[in-house]
Amino acid sequence: MQFLGHVVRFIVAALVLMVVGWIVPQFSIGGFGSALLLALVIALIGWAIEGIFGKKVTPFGRGIVGFLVSALVIYIAQFIVGDVRVSVLGALLAALVIGIIDLFIPIATPFEAGKSSKESK
């Protein structure tokens, strides 16, 4: 069941990225496949940053540092995923829109999901 939860989370994240690509200027995604891959890359980079620097610097954390790291992760991810074009302003606006959407549709990070499953055992 945990695998299905991860699949649903990435599908929702890809849909959110497609909506952001439609709303935010200077942020474009080629299609659903690119959005799904972008969601995966953002999650992996975010997980790595969270593992190295801790929760306060994570793209999923709150505050200005989390916001700026989120924009940086989005900007860097465009170089890994094809059919994604993001300017610096587009990354900042995308991070803002994703943060606002996250207020209404909170999605646990892979790092948090792993911690909570280990704690419950």
Side-chain angles (χ1 to χ4, degrees):
M1 192 65 167
Q2 187 177 2
F3 176 75
L4 184 60
H6 289 298
V7 170
V8 168
R9 184 175 68 238
F10 283 114
I11 289 172
V12 169
L15 292 172
V16 167
L17 287 168
M18 289 190 72
V19 168
V20 169
W22 183 67
I23 294 173
V24 175
Q26 301 178 17
F27 182 92
S28 66
I29 298 177
F32 184 73
S34 295
L36 196 58
L37 188 57
L38 182 62
L40 180 64
V41 168
I42 288 172
L44 289 174
I45 294 172
W47 177 76
I49 289 172
E50 190 172 321
I52 294 169
F53 296 107
K55 181 103 174 117
K56 292 182 181 180
V57 183
T58 179
F60 307 104
R62 303 287 182 222
I64 189 70
V65 173
F67 168 74
L68 292 174
V69 169
S70 180
L72 180 64
V73 166
I74 291 167
Y75 186 77
I76 290 171
Q78 76 171 326
F79 300 113
I80 300 169
V81 180
D83 275 348
V84 175
R85 301 291 171 256
V86 183
S87 68
V88 173
L89 179 60
L92 289 169
L93 291 173
L96 178 65
V97 171
I98 290 169
I100 291 169
I101 291 172
D102 189 49
L103 289 173
F104 299 104
I105 309 171
I107 298 174
T109 68
F111 193 70
E112 289 173 348
K115 283 173 94 176
S116 64
S117 67
K118 287 178 187 174
E119 292 171 357
S120 64
K121 291 182 180 178

